Amino acid sequence: MEDWSIGKSAAITDLGMCINHYRLHTVGLFACIRARVKIGDQFLTPDMIVVINVGKHKQCSPNFNENYFDGPPNFILDVYDQSDIKSIKERKATYASSGVLEYLVVREDFSRIEWNRLQNGKYKALKPDKDGITRSKALLGLWIPIPALQKRDFWAVMASIDQGITRREHHELMDTIWNK
């Protein structure tokens, strides 16, 4: 396993806390840090994945015997520093071609946040709405206020997630999981 800088480790921990906050309100998901993923014939280890485990939005399955996920996760998060830029570009192309619906890339100091959504087989970088919020389509109800995230105001991020999970789209996602 590679050595992480303190900044990268802290960023993954903080982002993981926010994503896990969403997962706690969304039964039927796996949210894993540094889990191996088999995409095609290669294994990758993203910083964080979120997988819808049952229902019509399931894209990926855990292989508990071999200790990896098989197929594209619904959502991937990677934290990077300057030395990771080449591997991030390669991962982005691999994830897009394999069908990962959303790919969030965050620089370890939060100075750059790029949220990508798969459209017609390619990633399109998303811009926050007029309120500064990016609303996930891969994980319905996951609302992230990008300005708060850049300031590392995780209380505001979690409050936005709390608001997103009360909306109809999150309830409809839950229906596809519960009523598989």
Side-chain angles (χ1 to χ4, degrees):
M1 183 174 200
E2 69 188 80
D3 287 334
W4 286 351
S5 68
I6 292 171
K8 183 171 181 169
S9 180
I12 292 168
T13 300
D14 291 340
L15 291 163
M17 172 186 62
C18 296
I19 300 298
N20 196 50
H21 184 72
Y22 172 81
R23 185 200 59 84
L24 290 171
H25 298 282
T26 313
V27 176
L29 301 183
F30 280 111
C32 302
I33 293 176
R34 302 295 293 167
R36 285 185 338 137
V37 176
K38 183 178 180 189
I39 296 178
D41 61 350
Q42 65 180 318
F43 285 92
L44 297 167
T45 308
D47 291 334
M48 184 167 198
I49 64 169
V50 181
V51 173
I52 296 176
N53 197 35
V54 295
K56 73 178 188 178
H57 298 290
K58 179 179 179 175
Q59 298 191 161
C60 185
S61 297
N63 181 327
F64 291 107
N65 293 330
E66 304 282 330
N67 199 32
Y68 66 87
F69 285 88
D70 191 9
N74 301 79
F75 179 93
I76 292 180
L77 162 72
D78 276 323
V79 174
Y80 72 98
D81 63 23
Q82 233 14 68
S83 67
D84 297 323
I85 289 178
K86 183 179 180 201
S87 69
I88 291 294
K89 288 179 181 180
E90 291 168 359
R91 284 177 180 237
K92 187 176 176 181
T94 299
Y95 297 155
S97 67
S98 71
V100 174
L101 300 176
E102 289 181 342
Y103 181 41
L104 177 58
V105 185
V106 179
R107 190 167 176 165
E108 70 178 351
D109 64 1
F110 290 80
S111 64
R112 181 162 164 73
I113 297 169
E114 181 183 309
W115 195 309
N116 300 283
R117 181 171 296 144
L118 193 62
Q119 293 181 350
N120 300 318
K122 295 184 179 181
Y123 280 133
K124 178 180 180 194
L126 300 178
K127 302 272 189 240
D129 66 15
K130 64 180 173 52
D131 297 320
I133 297 173
T134 299
R135 290 170 170 81
S136 177
K137 296 288 186 204
L139 303 172
L140 297 169
L142 177 63
W143 293 5
I144 303 291
I146 300 303
L149 188 59
Q150 287 174 314
K151 291 189 274 186
R152 299 178 98 147
D153 181 354
F154 300 112
W155 291 111
V157 172
M158 288 191 291
S160 183
I161 292 168
D162 286 341
Q163 190 175 18
I165 61 171
T166 66
R167 298 305 188 255
R168 176 179 289 138
E169 63 185 6
H170 185 261
H171 294 276
E172 289 170 353
L173 171 64
M174 294 307 305
D175 284 344
T176 70
I177 293 170
W178 292 331
N179 301 316
K180 49 184 171 153

